[in-house]
Amino acid sequence: GGKMMKTIVIDCAELTDKEKAQSYLKNIFAFPEYYGCNLDALYDMLTMLPQAEWKITFTHEKALKPESYAMKVVETIREAIEDNQI
């Protein structure tokens, strides 16, 4: 198909805490109102995306601290991409 690729750039510096991160993600992915604003909901939403149309990249990955919420978000997104072959 000649579908347009949608590139989503996730700024890891925006993922500082759960509230900020979830509102940022909801916004850039244009998740629906019922989005649950947690990592499980994020995973579910991403695995429902039409995989061929998305390219997800990360900026400011150096800002990620091990075990931080931001790191968990990035890991969740990577897992969804892998499982969904986005």
Side-chain angles (χ1 to χ4, degrees):
K3 285 240 162 85
M4 285 286 295
M5 283 290 283
K6 257 188 248 179
T7 301
I8 299 273
V9 179
I10 294 174
D11 182 350
C12 297
E14 292 287 332
L15 308 174
T16 45
D17 59 61
K18 181 177 177 185
E19 207 166 295
K20 189 174 176 192
Q22 289 292 345
S23 129
Y24 173 75
L25 292 167
K26 184 175 177 179
N27 199 15
I28 60 169
F29 284 109
F31 287 150
E33 274 312 301
Y34 61 80
Y35 172 61
C37 293
N38 59 54
L39 296 173
D40 287 340
L42 175 63
Y43 178 86
D44 291 344
M45 282 287 171
L46 292 177
T47 52
M48 290 192 298
L49 292 176
Q51 54 204 17
E53 297 165 37
W54 295 81
K55 181 176 172 22
I56 298 174
T57 58
F58 298 94
T59 60
H60 296 125
E61 281 188 84
K62 289 185 181 72
L64 292 171
K65 305 268 185 290
E67 304 306 311
S68 64
Y69 192 77
M71 184 64 97
K72 289 190 176 93
V73 166
V74 171
E75 283 166 358
T76 301
I77 294 169
R78 290 222 164 101
E79 202 175 299
I81 290 170
E82 228 164 81
D83 293 350
N84 198 29
Q85 303 298 297
I86 295 178

